[in-house]
Structures are given as C-alpha cells and as structure tokens.
Amino acid sequence: MLIHEPVRTADHRELLALATRLWYESGYTGTSGHARLRELFETDVAPVSHARAEGEAVPASFDELVPFIGPAFMRIGGDDKPIIVVNGDKDIETCEADFDKRSIWKILIGGQKLARGFTVEGLTVTYYRRRTSNASTLMQMGRWFGFRPGYRDLVRLHLGREEALGAKEIDLYKAFEAICRDEEAFRAQLEQYARPVDGEAQITPAQVPPLVSQHLPWLKPTSPNKMFNARLVEVRSPGQWEEPTAYPSKQAALKRNTERWMPILDRLSDDTTQFTHTMQRGNGQVATFGFPAQRAAGDPARTRMGCGTTVRPAPHLSGGDRPRPRPGRRLVGRRTPARRCREVPPSRHHRTQ
C-alpha cells in the first residue's frame, strides 16, 4: 500500500502516527477484523475479481482466505514496523525501501521521493492526494500505472476529488483522466505517421512535430521553464468525433454561440410538436409520457428552450433546406442538459518547435 499526500517531512510523521494507530486498532487477527474483511471481500474483492481477473485464480469464498490472514499480518507488521516512511536516500541506503534487495510487504508513506523514478513492486492499494499543476509531474507520480499481470483485479486507487491548489479546487480523478486522454491523442498522431503510403514510409515526427494536447485548462503539459519554445495552437478535427471538454460561461461567448445558431434556428417551422413516449410497466400497465412545447412569454410563435434562447421547433430539416455552417465553424453535437448548450471551444494543443 502507498500513501502519497504531502511533501513536508513533518506531515509524514503525522501520517505515520495516524496510520500506525489504525493498523494496531484494526484487529485483523480477531473476530471483528475478520468480519470487516469478510464484508470487504463479498462487496468489493469478489465481484471485481470475477469481472477483471482474466483467467487468474479467484477464491470462491472468504473462508478460503482465512488461513492466510495471520501469515500476511506477520509479514507486514511482525517486526513492529508495518509502515515505512520514504523521504530520503537514507531509506535506500538502509535497505528499508529497496525492492531490489528484499521482498517488501509494507505500507509506504512518502512525498517527493516517490514522485519520480521510484518503483513499488506489487503495489495494490494507493491513497493519493498530492497536487500539481502540470501533467508531466502528475504522470510521474502515478505509481499505480504499469502494474504487472496477475493481480490487475486487486488494484485499488483512492483519489482526492476536492483538493486545494492555490486559490482553486481541483479534482484529481479528472486530472488523471485528462492526462490519459492527452497521451492517447499523442499516440494517435504518431500512429498516423507510421502508416505506409504506397509501400513507402511517410514523414517522421521530427519533420512535423506532433501536437501535445491539453484537455484541462489548468493542467499544462509540463512546467513553464520547459515550454519556452512551445506555441499554443488550435486544430480542427474534420470527420472525427470530439467530445467537448469545456464550456464557456462568459456572457460574450454565450452571445456569440447564440448568434451562430440563429441562421439555422430562423429557418425552422413555426409549428410546435408534442413528443410522447409509451412504455409498459412490470405489472402490465401501459404508461404514456408527454413532452409538450412551452410557449415563450410575449411571443406565441416561439417556444422556450435552454440557454435562455427562443427557437422555432420543427420535426426535422430536409436535405435541400438544411443551412450550411460558415467556413471555419465546427458544429459539434452532444447529448447534454438543455442549459449546457454553450459554444464548444476547439481543442487546445501545444506545438514544440
């Protein structure tokens, strides 16, 4: 297990005291501890393992694990040191946290030392609340990435969803999701360079530098001193589905969004249509739900929609009457609540020369 939260060594001492108290109060070898472990196995471990074990051995019941609880407890805390604090080279010099020299079954607590280049063999459970504002550092601190086959179903990750970073509050789950999407976009660009054309190799990334995506505005690819030669550019994605990752909230942007849609909305019919949905309940009864259009105040010919905009609804647009977007404008569709009908900004990318 890994606990990666603060950077200061004083905070590590406080975490050590807290984790040590929890360990000795857990009662893992007693009746109450076994009852908690049984509930955890039945509600979490068993269903997840059956879904993700991919052919690996999975205990049929908690009773199969009971004989191994005592030996595991002794391997972790039999020396009265169930927790190792990793915050300096002395931990490596004393072999306390050297996975190359011995098998380690411990709970690790650390900060900066665990940020880069530290491999935790057999890591299964991670409690992570460390904050940073660039994707490179965040990716390096993801010690759970690259786990080995054989225990994928046992990996658990606990992330802070409301962590303070300066004056703002960030969601670490969304942050790691964003950097994974950044990497997937980067790999997709490299893949298109690798495809041969008429049996000949295409240009290499060195000839056309790939773009580094940034899905979260506050999470830059790396620190500013490493981006002195980078330019912020925007790209279009014709023929590709792109899910928007941000919505403007300022009045000026919302007004522009409405103006760009008005040529299309003005060509819709004045007639309103009531949509219905019919379903059969479990008891055999048939229920019909209606979705009537709402008239906007002061204008009987228009109906009220989301985003404070009034539009004229119509069942559909015929192919010959469908207005075309102006060049350079990309209309992106997405199923969203009515009040999220905002302008979709183009993706942000960084190009390094």
Side-chain angles (χ1 to χ4, degrees):
M1 179 178 179
L2 172 64
I3 302 176
H4 190 174
E5 184 176 358
V7 179
R8 298 182 302 176
T9 56
D11 295 331
H12 296 165
R13 287 192 290 270
E14 293 182 7
L15 276 175
L16 173 62
L18 175 60
T20 302
R21 178 174 61 83
L22 292 175
W23 171 261
Y24 286 109
E25 291 179 354
S26 63
Y28 288 127
T29 57
T31 304
S32 61
H34 280 204
R36 291 199 321 275
L37 291 176
R38 180 183 295 275
E39 180 182 4
L40 180 64
F41 176 84
E42 294 175 351
T43 60
D44 180 17
V45 177
V48 173
S49 294
H50 282 296
R52 299 184 179 179
E54 298 180 348
E56 300 292 340
V58 178
S61 67
F62 177 75
D63 294 331
E64 294 185 16
L65 296 178
V66 172
F68 301 96
I69 296 178
F73 181 86
M74 294 303 298
R75 292 191 66 172
I76 298 172
D79 57 354
D80 293 330
K81 293 181 179 180
I83 303 167
I84 298 178
V85 178
V86 183
N87 57 13
D89 292 335
K90 64 179 181 179
D91 305 304
I92 305 299
E93 294 171 359
T94 58
C95 296
E96 286 191 2
D98 194 338
F99 290 87
D100 293 331
K101 293 186 177 181
R102 68 186 182 108
S103 176
I104 299 178
W105 287 41
K106 298 292 181 180
I107 300 172
L108 303 183
I109 295 177
Q112 192 63 29
K113 188 69 179 179
L114 299 176
R116 295 176 182 268
F118 191 94
T119 300
V120 182
E121 295 286 347
L123 177 64
T124 54
V125 181
T126 303
Y127 180 82
Y128 182 89
R129 294 183 62 193
R130 178 86 177 272
R131 282 84 70 190
T132 183
S133 59
N134 74 78
S136 173
T137 302
L138 193 66
M139 178 68 78
Q140 288 286 342
M141 290 190 292
R143 299 292 93 193
W144 54 90
F145 287 122
F147 51 83
R148 290 162 178 76
Y151 57 94
R152 174 184 178 184
D153 56 311
L154 302 179
V155 175
R156 298 294 186 273
L157 174 61
H158 304 272
L159 292 171
R161 303 298 302 267
E162 299 176 350
E163 300 297 329
L165 181 63
K168 59 178 176 290
E169 192 175 80
I170 64 172
D171 185 338
L172 290 173
Y173 182 90
K174 291 186 178 299
F176 277 105
E177 180 184 35
I179 62 176
C180 289
R181 296 180 65 181
D182 292 342
E183 181 177 346
E184 289 176 354
F186 188 81
R187 290 178 180 271
Q189 292 183 74
L190 296 182
E191 183 180 1
Q192 71 180 2
Y193 297 138
R195 298 170 185 167
V197 177
D198 297 331
E200 299 292 334
Q202 297 188 72
I203 55 178
T204 66
Q207 295 170 292
V208 179
L211 298 175
V212 179
S213 302
Q214 180 183 339
H215 282 85
L216 282 182
W218 62 267
L219 190 62
K220 297 185 181 300
T222 187
S223 55
N225 63 336
K226 298 182 181 69
M227 297 177 59
F228 62 91
N229 201 29
R231 292 187 298 111
L232 182 64
V233 299
E234 298 177 349
V235 296
R236 302 295 179 182
S237 54
Q240 298 181 7
W241 173 260
E242 293 286 349
E243 182 179 0
T245 57
Y247 299 91
S249 57
K250 295 182 179 180
Q251 186 64 30
L254 295 176
K255 182 179 179 181
R256 288 198 305 271
N257 185 62
T258 303
E259 292 174 349
R260 291 169 183 173
W261 273 101
M262 288 311 298
I264 297 177
L265 302 178
D266 286 338
R267 299 190 62 174
L268 301 180
S269 170
D270 291 337
D271 298 331
T272 61
T273 300
Q274 177 173 330
F275 296 94
T276 60
H277 172 65
T278 302
M279 61 175 292
Q280 185 173 1
R281 300 184 184 276
N283 57 7
Q285 295 181 346
V286 177
T288 301
F289 301 90
F291 306 92
Q294 298 179 353
R295 295 290 184 183
D299 188 353
R302 293 183 175 223
T303 59
R304 188 166 63 249
M305 302 293 286
C307 303
T309 303
T310 57
V311 300
R312 297 184 178 91
H316 65 275
L317 286 175
S318 62
D321 296 335
R322 185 181 294 111
R324 298 180 178 179
R326 288 178 290 169
R329 302 298 184 189
R330 180 166 61 108
L331 303 179
V332 179
R334 184 190 184 193
R335 291 185 176 180
T336 56
R339 295 197 177 276
R340 281 198 164 186
C341 303
R342 303 175 182 171
E343 178 186 13
V344 180
S347 302
R348 306 181 70 196
H349 296 76
H350 295 271
R351 183 186 291 278
T352 303
Q353 301 294 337

